[in-house]
Amino acid sequence: MNQPCNSMEPRVMDDDMLKLAVGDQGPQEEAGQLAKQEGILFKDVLSLQLDFRNILRIDNLWQFENLRKLQLDNNIIEKIEGLENLAHLVWLDLSFNNIETIEGLDTLVNLEDLSLFNNRISKIDSLDALVKLQVLSLGNNRIDNMLNIIYLRRFKCLRTLSLSRNPISEAEDYKMFICAYLPDLMYLDYRRIDDHTKKLAEAKHQYSIDELKHQENLMQAQLEDEQAQREELEKHKTAFVEHLNGSFLFDSMYAEDSEGNNLSYLPGVGELLETYKDKFVIICVNIFEYGLKQQEKRKTELDTFSECVREAIQENQEQGKRKIAKFEEKHLSSLSAIREELELPNIEKMILECSADISELFDALMTLEMQLVEQLEETINMFERNIVDMVGLFIENVQSLMAQCRDLENHHHEKLLEISISTLEKIVEGDLDEDLPNDLRALFVDKDTIVNAVGASHDIHLLKIDNREDELVTRINSWCTRLIDRIHKDEIMRNRKRVKEINQYIDHMQSELDNLECGDILD
Amino acid sequence: MEVLREKVEEEEEAEREEAAEWAEWARMEKMMRPVEVRKEEITLKQETLRDLEKKLSEIQITVSAELPAFTKDTIDISKLPISYKTNTPKEEHLLQVADNFSRQYSHLCPDRVPLFLHPLNECEVPKFVSTTLRPTLMPYPELYNWDSCAQFVSDFLTMVPLPDPLKPPSHLYSSTTVLKYQKGNCFDFSTLLCSMLIGSGYDAYCVNGYGSLDLCHMDLTREVCPLTVKPKETIKKEEKVLPKKYTIKPPRDLCSRFEQEQEVKKQQEIRAQEKKRLREEEERLMEAEKAKPDALHGLRVHSWVLVLSGKREVPENFFIDPFTGHSYSTQDEHFLGIESLWNHKNYWINMQDCWNCCKDLIFDLGDPVRWEYMLLGTDKSQLSLTEEDDSGINDEDDVENLGKEDEDKSFDMPHSWVEQIEISPEGTNILEIKEWYQNREDMLELKHINKTTDLKTDYFKPGHPQALRVHSYKSMQPEMDRVIEFYETARVDGLMKREETPRTMTEYYQGRPDFLSYRHASFGPRVKKLTLSSAESNPRPIVKITERFFRNPAKPAEEDVAERVFLVAEERIQLRYHCREDHITASKREFLRRTEVDSKGNKIIMTPDMCISFEVEPMEHTKKLLYQYEAMMHLKREEKLSRHQVWESELEVLEILKLREEEEAAHTLTISIYDTKRNEKSKEYREAMERMMHEEHLRQVETQLDYLAPFLAQLPPGEKLTCWQAVRLKDECLSDFKQRLINKANLIQARFEKETQELQKKQQWYQENQVTLTPEDEDLYLSYCSQAMFRIRILEQRLNRHKELAPLKYLALEEKLYKDPRLGELQKIFA
């Protein structure tokens, strides 16, 4: 504003321009002097006004991390860009520019007020991230399709909308349509929507809106369903037994096993496979349920542990706080006593006493902390032992169940081999009644081929089972180690933080006392 | 006796508790240093002793200057009623009977002391003891039970020993006199107590007997002091929370167990010694205290009260010593023998041997072998199953039962000569007054005045215009000690309580959007101004304001101020922030606003030493001078606001006081909307409604008015109208109506003309006297004219309207008549 830009020459948003703007719009008078003295960091700026500056391209704004309000109106900006870092932005004014499409706003999740008045926008979209949007100004643009309104239905907080002087606002039904499709809207084109209009609009468009609502509800339900399924799966995953509550594993065993599939056409194999599958699935479900149960157990164990640790820390903190409060009370009174004391030797004596108090407090707090560290260490070790035992037991049991699977597979393999060989013999003897698929018949060339085929199928199956087992074991083990590591790390962090806090406090107290000393001597 | 046993139990309990306490201490000693323990123990005892001392010091003993015995001379008998001074013939008769009885008794038992039958009263008139009892039920609910009665008698009267400890007194005064002078001997005590107990429905008797020295002298030194008996402490139920699996272990105990054991041993030794010493001491005391053998043991006359079981749900017979008000078992060894006993109906002599105190006595007054009664009439038989209350019936029975004694015994006791016993609360010290109110517009519910501290407390129901809940104060002057509590939900500022002392004001808040919870302001002495100063125009200077805030969950703890102190005089502002959840220290900040000037004469805006801060988590932006400057400026504004708030609070207090005074002066009552008699508004409304109803009713009646009724009445009833009759009826009706219309028109016309004439007259008169008229007369004339014109105009309009409407009305009636079913004949004609 300070320098009128008569020339139409575009200007670049460089550091100088920003500094100047920040300086101009920053604190004034006494505070201004201070600000000048110290300089203002861009990241401390909360609001910035950059209008009438002939800016063509938004740039160099990445430092303004905490900006709440940004005005870039009355420039010649053509593209919304460079705003990615301004995540705290609440108010954005881009009116009177040459923007053609809405874009680059995906990180501005806190935006409540967006003005794109007088631009060249023809379609409302790319606003999905702006969940808190309350005010949207899109007047004087080129929006020509009513369906853009339906897009705005997703903004639950939207109360004020301006779409005047767009092609759609010429439409006869414009106002009614918007009122009907955006029932929560309070102000349209700078006017309050009265209840009467709302009712009329609703009545007019009721049919289509109901349909729309129905669709939306369906969509919502579907989304919720998916969400629920995802959550369920996630839960299973945390128990490390996902996809074991059915025939997934069994199916996957046969998914890549062409020979096995072929062999299933052999007479008698179908029934065999059926019983095999049933048994296999039963074991899988066993593993699954056992896994869930164990997960529950681990969870309660972890919860108890965290609760106890929290309680212990809380208790310890309370003790520390009490000690500090007691100390402060005494300290304050002795400080004021020192201030009032006139005799130098007395002062020195009192100061000495004070520092003795401070170091005593330090000792007390540190003792408390060390005590807590010891106690927690013991508890953590106990927990570690227990959880490792638990995991070990779980793995052992799962392995034994998996061994049962393998046994089944072996059994099945033997049966299959038997059938295959007998079939081969029949083929060789030529008294096979049924027709076999060509792929299958190709296997019955000689004994080796068929044995190899059956063996390959068997190998694939075993591999699958082994893989699943391995996956489970590795995952649970890594979970366990991660958990233990995290607990240890957290405890160390906590300890360091507390020690640092105590030290800081003691240092502060000591320095305060020292300052007092200096002051007294100066006096 | 029940009570006594309980006491013993309590003692035992206390001892046991003490032992338990010691055990507890021993356990605690493992944790604490022994010195501390001992100190605490001592202070504990000292505390109880101090309490005791305080309690004892509150007891005021007034030593009466007069001699304890009040003699006949000190009693003013002039105002006593006639029944005190003379005996009725019936009483004379009774005395004769008593004398006769006494003679027989002394004849039969020559070795026993003479009976205590009819001592002299204050007027030197012999009165039979039973008639001295005046059963009275006190109007005070507190005096309904025996224990409170006994306590009252013991507290109210001063004990005077008998003139001769070996003989019953020669005089027995009426209870009214005793109450008046508030002193008496044991007989006076027991007579009064017995009167009260019988009045309350107890089966009580005055006993003339022998008591121990302690009992007769009201010597309680050998009793347990009731103040040292600790109330039984309720044993707390300790809920043992099961330790959770991962509960941390307590820090390792680094004390030497051996040392502890040694310590415990030493303690036990010391305690044992202490105990021994105490025991010895006690024994010594016991020895010293043990009653010296009383030379007159068993001869000291005493009087007490016997309460027999049966009435008022008394389960067991017991004695009450009227001096102390304590109850004793009938087995108690203080009571050494009974000579005789009486109630208001009869007199019994104990015929049982008292060699073993009263322990073997059987209080079956119906047993003539053990208890010799004087009057047969009111014979009390416990052997019979039916209660015999009605003495009238018994009299008749006894008349027949003449076989045993002479007829004199069938004589019933005359009515007591003693006046109604009255205990007036006069002269008592009022400690506190409670007044309950209802239906007050200012919602005052209870006024509580403590007379000793002079503290008044008003309690309000919800709904006071200032949302008052409780107001306690000593004076209605502002700036004095005062506590006002509010219904905080009814207030916009969420104020719960405001406490004031002459120099401070403390306010407690709840549920405020700015999370303020507490504001304390201390004031300095008022600066004297030359102008007339009142609290409003010259507020006291504020020295310090302390404000505390609840945690605002929306802010991080290190930015959420917990307490801020404005030291107004020092220009210092102290801030203390809330403590973060995982921290033990809280940030602090102190601002010192001093306007200083640097060497060049420029004003220093802000220097780093104007803001001393301690931050738990040092932050970058708070180090900046700009931030500090802005914070300080903000605080200065806040300070101003807070000062204003304090000032407004002071004003509000003034306002409340003013309002309270007005309300107290007016004390208007609220009237329920359902109270239709007294609620003026609803009364008016209701009356208006009634009036409307009435009018409505009238209108309805009018519409239902039968226009044919007067004409039909002329015809014989119940007959169908003939055609001719119908026509005639119709014509009559119509002509009648026409006449009415004409009459009405004439009436209006007549009035119109009258008014016009009067006006003309007046105008003439005016024109004639125009010159001589005073302005007032002229005004009168003019107003008359305008009114007359108005009336004339209205009449004219009415006339016109009538003229217009009359034909229509006529036609309407005609139409109606045609359609009237009663005149059906007409329709036939015209149809």
Side-chain angles (χ1 to χ4, degrees), chain A residues 258-430:
Chain A
S258 51
E259 276 99 348
N261 282 327
N262 283 336
L263 285 168
S264 65
Y265 294 110
L266 280 177
V269 175
E271 295 93 75
L272 192 67
L273 209 56
E274 206 58 36
T275 51
Y276 172 42
K277 185 177 176 179
D278 285 349
K279 282 182 185 166
F280 193 89
V281 167
I282 286 171
I283 294 174
C284 279
V285 169
N286 272 347
I287 297 176
F288 176 76
E289 277 167 5
Y290 179 64
L292 285 189
K293 233 184 270 163
Q294 282 292 310
Q295 159 67 9
E296 200 58 38
K297 249 174 138 179
R298 285 195 298 270
K299 196 165 165 281
T300 44
E301 192 78 1
L302 184 60
D303 286 350
T304 334
F305 168 73
S306 326
E307 198 188 328
C308 289
V309 167
R310 207 177 48 241
E311 275 171 9
I313 294 174
Q314 203 73 37
E315 168 67 24
N316 192 279
Q317 273 181 13
E318 287 306 316
Q319 281 182 27
K321 273 184 198 170
R322 275 201 294 277
K323 282 207 160 75
I324 289 176
K326 224 171 171 181
F327 163 78
E328 274 192 354
E329 202 177 309
K330 197 183 160 196
H331 188 68
L332 274 180
S333 63
S334 46
L335 276 190
S336 56
I338 290 173
R339 283 205 191 93
E340 279 160 24
E341 185 62 55
L342 298 169
E343 302 272 330
L344 203 58
N346 274 352
I347 290 178
E348 268 169 21
K349 209 176 116 197
M350 283 160 105
I351 284 175
L352 272 181
E353 261 172 35
C354 259
S355 23
D357 279 349
I358 292 174
S359 55
E360 194 184 305
L361 175 74
F362 177 72
D363 288 348
L365 292 178
M366 286 309 268
T367 316
L368 214 57
E369 174 58 21
M370 288 322 292
Q371 188 186 307
L372 182 66
V373 167
E374 262 173 41
Q375 288 169 333
L376 286 184
E377 201 177 85
E378 201 175 322
T379 310
I380 289 171
N381 285 340
M382 190 164 90
F383 174 71
E384 191 178 333
R385 271 202 304 281
N386 286 344
I387 202 84
V388 166
D389 284 357
M390 255 179 182
V391 167
L393 186 73
F394 177 59
I395 290 175
E396 216 171 90
N397 283 327
V398 167
Q399 275 170 342
S400 81
L401 284 169
M402 284 294 191
Q404 283 181 29
C405 287
R406 250 178 245 119
D407 284 351
L408 277 180
E409 171 60 29
N410 286 336
H411 184 71
H412 176 73
H413 171 65
E414 276 165 25
K415 282 268 172 73
L416 189 61
L417 203 60
E418 223 170 78
I419 292 173
S420 304
I421 287 172
S422 71
T423 314
L424 182 69
E425 279 165 4
K426 273 184 193 164
I427 290 174
V428 170
E429 284 166 23

Side-chain angles (χ1 to χ4, degrees), chain B residues 348-371:
Chain B
W348 289 268
I349 303 163
N350 177 24
M351 303 305 281
Q352 300 167 77
D353 199 354
C354 295
W355 64 271
N356 190 13
C357 306
C358 297
K359 283 173 192 165
D360 294 337
L361 292 190
I362 292 166
F363 294 94
D364 180 4
L365 301 182
D367 186 347
V369 180
R370 295 195 172 95
W371 297 95

